[in-house]
Amino acid sequence: MKEFAPIPLGEWVSDGIDRLTLEYATAFDSISFVIYELIDSLQSALHAIPAPWFIVLISLLAVLAAGWRRPGGWGLGLFTLVGLGLVWNLRLWDELITTLSLVLASEVLVLLVGIPLGIASAKSAMVERILRPVLDVMQTMPAFVYLVPAVIFFGLGLVPGVISTTIFALPPLIRLTSLGIRQVPRELVEAALSFGATWWQLLTKVQVPVALPAIMAGVNQSIMLGLSMVVIAAMIGAGGLGNVVLEGITQLDVGKGFVGGLAVVILAIVLDRITQSTGKIYQQKGKPR
Amino acid sequence: MSATAPTPTDSVHQARTPKIRLEKVSKIFGRHADRALELLAQGLDKKTVQERTGVVVGVYDVSLEIAEGEIFVIMGLSGCGKSTLLRLINRLHEPTTGKVFIGEEDITAMGAHALRRLRRSAFGMVFQSFALLPHRNVLSNVEFGLELHGVPRPTRRERAQQAIETVGLSGYEHKYPDELSGGMQQRVGLARALAVDPQILLMDEAFSALDPLIRGQLQDDLIEIQERVGTTVVFVSHDLDEAIKIGTRIAILRDGRLVQVGTPQEILAAPADDYVSAFVRGADRTKVLTAADVMLPLHTFAHLRDSPRALLRKMQHSGFSGLIVLDNQRHPLGYVELRQVIEMRDQARLERSALRPLPCAAPEEPLSELIRRSNVEGSPMVVCDAKGRVIGVIDKTTLLAALAQQGETDESAAATSEQTAEQPACAEPTPNESAQKPPSGESRVSMEREDKS
């Protein structure tokens, strides 16, 4: 019996990508340029602030975000102060800033793409049907796989790092935005419509504000995912803390790997708590504080 | 209290121009609406149609006219299409067939822009779940409708403030919905609807989620506000007592079809079919029936100058244990019992101090009120006209009979005539024209006239 030849799926994909790179080279170049400008300005702005100032500033921000009247707020502030102080002490401050600006830049892109897509998929069953399998693929595909096309399209360095991070961090925001808007009580929507709300008024005055806790949870999730991806993106030269970890692995330097990993964890905890408490405070608005 | 049952003057409403007119409106949820409509036209019911075609019938072939200034209640069991019907009125649901007119305008033919304008100018809506925006305080929630309309901030502040005062929530402007009780939240919902100064107020089971006490208060407030503002109200409810209390007219829906429309009195007195009468059976008649409906003519009574012996004789004749004492102008003076008459039998006349005070009820007073007052003393109650003259009498037996009454009007008529035959002493005509007279054969109240000369 004659064996079936393997379907050349891999070849098709690489052919397709080759053609894309050739035909849309200018498009990719301009995207690359815009994103590069974004990261670069973010990075230089963050680098411009002296480390001690920056640490104090972020600690105060944490206190404010978690609520300065609650003891937990001051605890978070203290943790931020000590944690970031440790990173500075370990001489990883520049790497931390690079990683932070990568995460923030990709989060900007995630917000720009994710919230409109989330709203669209909440409002249209068709969009939702199309998006769902795409999101499934995006979330289950091993993170490394994004690196290859990113490199092919955008070369090595910061830009493909941001792009692959964005793609990886996008799904939870879309899903949670869509879910949040779908879960706005039907009677609330009807109330707005019965008073003659336009589509835009309904969205901005009712649906998005009421769904905001869910959207904020999505933002938090995507920042966390972005941070984990930024480390992987060090493999394509994105730099930052991921690079420290990568060097630790390649040089079998356990200490270096640990220190880099610890810095990532500290940054993750700080970002997570700050974004989470922002969402929570919004949720609790109106309750006696 | 403004919550008395509305007077049965329905013709007034029908004579006015209809504010809302529904013409053969149907709403089918799902595909294959045509097939479902065909089956419904053949007379199949909602459940069968759903089994055969898979569609859900909201309402079918409903034609209605609602006059300006009415409180029109749509009633039915849950799932019978009440809320769907309400949402067809402002086209939150698109009718499958039929037309809906608001004033002269056909709302079903409107484009999105015109529809939005009409919704802004004509409608306010109140919801069962209150539907307040959790992130806005009371003032800002009440402003919401005006904000959508693009009213500038100072004006809308002012109007919102007025609406908040109307519903009695002053002082709570800066509270958030989750800091308020359910009743207060619904007042906010009502204020939000009133703030846009709507011609038509749509209320979807607005008070169903509230406990009975608060519900009663809000019903009273709604009636009072409606009388003051004159808004047309369409109110969806599954509570018959609520419908009777607030409704000028009631429409009863069953499985999406309109079964009966009429005033509360009409529906209680003449249910259109078994469904309606089963529905109505649980109703609290005491809120609909009035003193004039159940009182008996005043045949026998006493005067102050009567000798106790003569009264004793009359009590013996009639078998009653007490007499109502009137003055010359038929004003009630009091009530005297057999025991006291016996004690005074050697005196020339009754002593005023021996009389028990006699409560006087107005003819339009509802039965529920009479029941509340009657249980204090054993004495009967008299019904007096505006000048305080007695026009009829109600005793405990009459009240009980009225409560037990289930349309046995024939018996009651027989009983009344029987009593009249027994005591021919006084045959004064009484203004009792009620068709709903309860059985009253065993009334123990006796009145006897004696000339006071």
Side-chain angles (χ1 to χ4, degrees):
Chain A
M1 199 177 115
K2 197 183 162 196
E3 270 186 30
F4 286 109
I7 299 169
L9 194 60
E11 271 173 48
W12 291 344
V13 171
S14 48
D15 282 355
I17 289 194
D18 282 349
R19 207 168 313 132
L20 273 179
T21 23
L22 284 177
E23 284 174 24
Y24 297 100
T26 43
F28 285 126
D29 281 351
S30 46
I31 293 174
S32 176
F33 176 75
V34 170
I35 292 172
Y36 184 79
E37 285 299 310
L38 179 70
I39 312 165
D40 196 47
S41 47
L42 249 173
Q43 214 170 354
S44 44
L46 293 181
H47 271 301
I49 310 170
W53 283 102
F54 199 77
I55 292 170
V56 172
L57 221 67
I58 298 222
S59 304
L60 283 179
L61 184 72
V63 172
L64 282 179
W68 59 276
R69 273 186 245 192
R70 290 185 305 193
W74 292 99
L76 179 58
L78 193 66
F79 174 85
T80 310
L81 197 67
V82 172
L84 293 184
L86 180 66
V87 176
W88 184 38
N89 174 265
L90 293 172
R91 306 294 184 274
L92 289 176
W93 188 251
D94 284 347
E95 284 82 358
L96 181 105
I97 290 295
T98 308
T99 298
L100 183 63
S101 46
L102 266 168
V103 169
L104 291 182
S106 53
E107 189 55 28
V108 169
L109 294 181
V110 165
L111 288 177
L112 284 179
V113 179
I115 288 184
L117 275 182
I119 290 168
S121 99
K123 293 230 171 191
S124 144
M126 169 95 114
V127 174
E128 209 254 337
R129 255 201 311 279
I130 296 170
L131 267 183
R132 185 183 299 197
V134 176
L135 292 180
D136 287 342
V137 171
M138 281 166 78
Q139 274 186 309
T140 45
M141 186 71 80
F144 298 93
V145 179
Y146 296 131
L147 298 179
V148 184
V151 169
I152 294 172
F153 290 142
F154 301 105
L156 290 172
L158 284 171
V159 175
V162 167
I163 299 270
S164 50
T165 305
T166 303
I167 293 170
F168 187 66
L170 197 53
L173 183 65
I174 297 179
R175 279 188 205 272
L176 281 163
T177 302
S178 170
L179 183 74
I181 287 179
R182 278 169 196 274
Q183 280 180 341
V184 172
R186 194 177 60 107
E187 289 201 332
L188 260 177
V189 174
E190 284 182 333
L193 290 177
S194 73
F195 286 113
T198 59
W199 186 90
W200 182 247
Q201 284 176 324
L202 176 66
L203 185 70
T204 55
K205 290 184 193 288
V206 178
Q207 290 177 316
V208 168
V210 174
L212 205 59
I215 297 176
M216 283 310 293
V219 170
N220 172 271
Q221 285 298 300
S222 61
I223 288 182
M224 291 297 100
L225 279 180
L227 198 58
S228 69
M229 186 63 192
V230 157
V231 174
I232 297 170
M235 292 163 77
I236 51 170
L241 290 171
N243 218 21
V244 179
V245 177
L246 200 65
E247 278 169 20
I249 295 171
T250 48
Q251 297 163 11
L252 287 179
D253 185 342
V254 181
K256 197 172 193 178
F258 177 79
V259 168
L262 185 69
V264 172
V265 170
I266 289 170
L267 183 61
I269 292 176
V270 169
L271 286 178
D272 177 60
R273 297 301 185 274
I274 290 178
T275 50
Q276 241 181 40
S277 15
T278 317
K280 267 190 204 141
I281 278 186
Y282 194 86
Q283 244 173 331
Q284 282 174 346
K285 192 170 180 183
K287 288 189 187 131
R289 254 161 277 168
Chain B
M1 188 174 107
S2 56
T4 48
T7 46
T9 49
D10 189 43
S11 51
V12 176
H13 297 297
Q14 308 221 303
R16 277 188 254 164
T17 48
K19 183 77 203 167
I20 303 167
R21 191 151 54 88
L22 279 75
E23 272 180 13
K24 295 190 165 299
V25 174
S26 301
K27 173 66 184 173
I28 310 289
F29 295 98
R31 282 179 238 175
H32 313 300
D34 296 345
R35 174 92 184 105
L37 284 171
E38 246 171 61
L39 291 174
L40 284 164
Q42 288 165 23
L44 291 180
D45 69 2
K46 184 176 173 171
K47 208 173 153 208
T48 324
V49 172
Q50 189 172 352
E51 276 164 11
R52 292 212 196 156
T53 60
V55 305
V56 176
V57 180
V59 296
Y60 176 68
D61 198 29
V62 170
S63 297
L64 265 184
E65 285 189 357
I66 300 172
E68 197 163 351
E70 256 192 301
I71 300 186
F72 190 89
V73 182
I74 300 170
M75 280 214 54
L77 302 173
S78 53
C80 71
K82 310 182 290 287
S83 295
T84 310
L85 187 57
L86 190 76
R87 282 163 174 72
L88 286 168
I89 293 176
N90 65 353
R91 225 176 107 185
L92 281 180
H93 285 334
E94 201 74 38
T96 310
T97 60
K99 287 181 174 176
V100 179
F101 292 89
I102 304 300
E104 295 298 309
E105 293 176 280
D106 180 0
I107 187 172
T108 43
M110 279 181 180
H113 186 71
L115 177 65
R116 212 154 44 227
R117 217 176 42 210
L118 181 76
R119 279 177 178 166
R120 287 178 179 190
S121 66
F123 289 108
M125 197 161 177
V126 183
F127 296 85
Q128 181 174 13
S129 64
F130 321 133
L132 301 177
L133 292 168
H135 59 285
R136 291 172 167 231
N137 64 19
V138 168
L139 186 63
S140 170
N141 259 298
V142 174
E143 273 180 33
F144 181 63
L146 298 165
E147 187 184 323
L148 294 181
H149 301 189
V151 176
R153 183 174 280 260
T155 323
R156 72 180 193 234
R157 271 280 133 91
E158 196 181 311
R159 281 172 64 184
Q161 196 66 51
Q162 278 172 7
I164 288 172
E165 273 161 36
T166 305
V167 299
L169 271 185
S170 305
Y172 291 95
E173 288 86 349
H174 299 291
K175 297 276 182 190
Y176 283 84
D178 62 1
E179 294 176 272
L180 302 177
S181 67
M184 285 158 93
Q185 289 191 40
Q186 194 55 298
R187 282 175 196 271
V188 179
L190 189 57
R192 178 176 65 183
L194 289 172
V196 298
D197 200 9
Q199 301 162 31
I200 299 165
L201 197 54
L202 303 176
M203 304 186 73
D204 184 18
E205 302 239 18
F207 303 149
S208 300
L210 306 173
D211 63 65
L213 196 71
I214 307 292
R215 195 189 310 164
Q217 284 173 7
L218 275 164
Q219 288 164 354
D220 294 343
D221 290 353
L222 174 67
I223 294 167
E224 194 247 331
I225 291 167
Q226 195 272 341
E227 274 170 8
R228 192 146 32 100
V229 186
T231 320
T232 308
V233 179
V234 186
F235 195 104
V236 164
S237 176
H238 62 253
D239 177 357
L240 188 63
D241 290 334
E242 181 170 71
I244 288 168
K245 180 172 173 183
I246 65 172
T248 45
R249 283 196 302 153
I250 299 175
I252 295 186
L253 282 183
R254 179 194 190 179
D255 287 350
R257 292 173 201 253
L258 192 61
V259 183
Q260 189 174 12
V261 185
T263 63
Q265 283 86 349
E266 282 167 7
I267 285 178
L268 285 186
D273 60 12
D274 291 347
Y275 175 79
V276 179
S277 52
F279 209 97
V280 153
R281 193 160 295 143
D284 191 353
R285 294 168 175 278
T286 62
K287 293 201 173 104
V288 187
L289 297 179
T290 62
D293 289 332
V294 298
M295 71 184 180
L296 299 171
L298 180 63
H299 293 302
T300 323
F301 51 88
H303 279 290
L304 257 189
R305 295 178 182 183
D306 294 341
S307 80
R309 281 186 184 281
L311 293 185
L312 270 180
R313 242 188 346 267
K314 266 149 203 172
M315 283 170 143
Q316 260 174 340
H317 264 287
S318 55
F320 293 119
S321 61
L323 290 176
I324 290 170
V325 184
L326 301 184
D327 71 3
N328 288 347
Q329 278 78 47
R330 293 178 66 87
H331 295 131
L333 293 174
Y335 180 73
V336 64
E337 281 182 348
L338 179 63
R339 190 166 41 84
Q340 290 156 315
V341 180
I342 291 172
E343 278 170 14
M344 291 185 290
R345 65 176 173 257
D346 295 331
Q347 297 170 7
R349 55 170 63 176
L350 284 175
E351 269 172 49
R352 192 162 195 156
S353 59
L355 300 181
R356 289 235 302 266
L358 199 56
C360 204
E364 67 275 6
E365 208 166 314
L367 227 54
S368 53
E369 195 67 11
L370 298 181
I371 290 165
R372 202 176 55 74
R373 298 200 329 200
S374 75
N375 53 18
V376 190
E377 308 248 325
S379 50
M381 211 178 293
V382 287
V383 182
C384 307
D385 63 12
K387 289 178 181 160
R389 289 180 307 213
V390 173
I391 54 174
V393 63
I394 299 168
D395 74 348
K396 271 192 168 171
T397 326
T398 321
L399 281 181
L400 287 176
L403 288 179
Q405 183 245 15
Q406 291 292 346
E408 295 153 312
T409 38
D410 295 347
E411 259 183 58
S412 96
T416 314
S417 59
E418 201 181 319
Q419 194 201 24
T420 316
E422 271 173 20
Q423 281 142 34
C426 170
E428 294 223 10
T430 46
N432 186 349
E433 289 142 13
S434 167
Q436 283 189 308
K437 198 173 296 168
S440 50
E442 287 188 286
S443 174
R444 236 165 278 116
V445 188
S446 152
M447 308 94 205
E448 198 164 315
R449 160 186 284 183
E450 269 214 354
D451 288 332
K452 57 186 176 105
S453 60

